[in-house]
Amino acid sequence: MKYALINMNILDGHENMQVTPGKAIIVENEKILDIIPASQLDSDIEKIDLKGSYIIPGLINLHVHIPSAGKAPKNAKSIDYEKIAKLLKLGLARAIVKSMCKNYAKQDLYSGTTTIRAVGGVLDFDTWLRDKINSKQAVGPRILASNYAVSVPGGHMTGSVALPVHSEEEAVKMVEDLHKTGVDQIKLMITGGVLDAEVPGEPGILKMPASFVKAACDKAHELGYMVAAHVESTEGMIVALENGVDTVEHGGKPSDEAVRLFKEKKAVLVATLSPAAPFAYMKEPLPGMSEMYLQNGRALFEHMKECVNTCLAEGITVGLGTDTGCPYTTHYDFWRELLTFSRLCNVTPNFALHTATETNAKIAGISDITGTIDVGKSADFVVVKDNPLEDLEALRNPEKVIFRGDIIENPKVKRFKDVDEALDMVMKAMKEKSTI
């Protein structure tokens, strides 16, 4: 298949990107074959007229949990992880969860996210779905798979998207077992999180011993993997960075020692601001949330925001993810993370879009494949009517999504009305610097 995209405004994803009209992007065999002045196109090539719309690289979301929809929960504290583990032993339950994963991944792609880094899933379903998509037996984005995360008894998400280890030896063995399933990276759950915090205002209690972290990281690096780690406290960041973690997911209140370690280890912070943003702007808990959840969410949000701003000021690389699967964090709302990042960290829409494309591709180790609109890269694009550099909400409803050269016209996602209404109020309050 060979065709040319014409009559569009290109935003190529590079840091100093500018609107570039008058070019044609020639696509052949899933890749960008050439970018030339539209006036130089051969007359016999198939042309696809984008009618003056804007075309950007496919978005890259660095923090997704595929098995969860991100709906408003009935009760965020009612998750029975032991029951989940028992159900997953049943063939019917596994088949249902696999079907759900396929549907959610399709939502990611149809919303303009052409690559996701899955950082904690059910059993080996991440790699299973990745391979289905790569062989065109399923529709979805490029998946960088972790399968289940490595946790400890009583640790974050143990029993659902994480499994426990009891010793350094078991940590090494679990990394080896994940290697056998064909993962693309390793995920650790080093601290607790908002949902499992037991003290108001204190999320992110250290759960995984430093020796476990080091053992898992050493084995992962030996096998050629990067290690991502769930961390929501200062102590957790220091333990993660001292013992080999490559990307700190979420973050905590920054300290001088944490900043020093980020620089020394050349580690990366992956920000996930949008899931916690509602806590900063809602006077009362969202439906399904407890008062403790609200308090801990507010504390974490402030710490994460400070961490992102400190890292940016110190020249530490910051990537973007959504923690999709958390309550009120859907597979179709990555644009909210870009807008939250821009508004709360005083970065331009240009920088936010560049972060969600080229920077995220570099962090994920796939910048030779995707992340920018350049010759030789995968033909991964999002087409939107309005200029996202003027308003990032332009990304909310793509006109087209193109992945590996395949064009999806007028992609539609299944939206959750109650989630959208609540989050739209939050975004409005964020813009107006008010509360609701």
Side-chain angles (χ1 to χ4, degrees), residues 12 80 113 122 165 183 196 216 241-242 257 294 309 325 336 347 366 410 426:
D12 62 17
D80 187 336
T113 302
V122 172
V165 297
V183 296
D196 49 38
L241 294 166
E242 283 182 335
E257 178 66 1
L294 177 64
N309 284 319
R336 293 188 193 275
V347 302
I366 55 172
N410 300 309
V426 169

Side-chain angles (χ1 to χ4, degrees), residues 150 165 167-179 211-212 214-220 222-223:
V150 182
V165 297
S167 66
E168 296 165 28
E169 292 75 19
E170 285 190 17
V172 170
K173 177 66 164 51
M174 188 170 287
V175 172
E176 292 173 336
D177 289 344
L178 285 162
H179 171 62
S211 62
F212 289 24
K214 186 177 189 307
C217 288
D218 286 351
K219 176 52 67 172
E222 178 188 321
L223 293 170

Side-chain angles (χ1 to χ4, degrees), residues 21-77:
K23 298 282 188 178
I25 301 173
I26 303 174
V27 174
E28 184 176 34
N29 298 328
E30 303 186 1
K31 291 188 177 183
I32 301 172
L33 179 66
D34 208 351
I35 303 172
I36 62 173
S39 60
Q40 296 179 9
L41 277 174
D42 292 338
S43 59
D44 59 348
I45 192 171
E46 180 186 358
K47 299 176 182 65
I48 298 174
D49 188 344
L50 298 188
K51 300 178 181 178
S53 293
Y54 293 79
I55 187 168
I56 65 171
L59 300 176
I60 300 168
N61 188 338
L62 291 182
H63 198 111
V64 173
H65 299 286
I66 299 176
S68 179
K71 296 187 290 186
K74 293 181 179 179
N75 184 342
K77 294 293 287 184

Side-chain angles (χ1 to χ4, degrees), residues 13-29:
H14 291 291
E15 186 170 4
N16 297 315
M17 75 182 105
Q18 296 179 348
V19 175
T20 304
K23 298 282 188 178
I25 301 173
I26 303 174
V27 174
E28 184 176 34
N29 298 328

Side-chain angles (χ1 to χ4, degrees), residues 292-417:
M292 182 178 290
Y293 191 98
L294 177 64
Q295 291 185 42
N296 285 313
R298 283 175 178 165
L300 176 62
F301 175 76
E302 293 301 326
H303 295 167
M304 286 198 299
K305 184 172 70 170
E306 183 181 351
C307 194
V308 172
N309 284 319
T310 298
C311 285
L312 290 173
E314 294 288 340
I316 296 162
T317 300
V318 174
L320 294 179
T322 54
D323 207 1
T324 293
C326 284
Y328 292 89
T329 313
T330 73
H331 286 270
Y332 57 78
D333 263 348
F334 188 31
W335 69 272
R336 293 188 193 275
E337 181 68 24
L338 278 69
L339 187 55
T340 301
F341 179 53
S342 177
R343 285 180 175 171
L344 298 183
C345 299
N346 297 314
V347 302
T348 64
N350 188 313
F351 186 80
L353 184 58
H354 162 67
T355 300
T357 52
E358 184 175 31
T359 298
N360 276 3
K362 289 179 178 178
I363 292 168
I366 55 172
S367 59
D368 59 329
I369 298 171
T370 190
T372 58
I373 299 178
D374 287 307
V375 173
K377 297 284 183 77
S378 181
D380 302 343
F381 312 113
V382 185
V383 179
V384 294
K385 181 180 180 181
D386 299 315
N387 185 355
L389 301 190
E390 295 178 354
D391 185 355
L392 287 165
E393 194 168 350
L395 303 174
R396 183 172 191 156
N397 295 299
E399 295 181 326
K400 290 179 177 64
V401 174
I402 304 173
F403 177 51
R404 293 172 174 161
D406 290 338
I407 302 173
I408 304 165
E409 297 278 2
N410 300 309
K412 303 297 181 185
V413 298
K414 180 181 178 182
R415 298 184 179 276
F416 306 125
K417 183 179 179 182

Side-chain angles (χ1 to χ4, degrees), residues 174-222:
M174 188 170 287
V175 172
E176 292 173 336
D177 289 344
L178 285 162
H179 171 62
K180 292 174 184 176
T181 69
V183 296
D184 298 300
Q185 69 266 324
I186 301 297
K187 172 69 181 298
L188 307 181
M189 299 293 197
I190 292 179
T191 74
V194 171
L195 276 174
D196 49 38
E198 298 179 356
V199 179
E202 293 185 15
I205 300 299
L206 184 66
K207 298 283 188 177
M208 183 175 286
S211 62
F212 289 24
V213 177
K214 186 177 189 307
C217 288
D218 286 351
K219 176 52 67 172
H221 293 154
E222 178 188 321

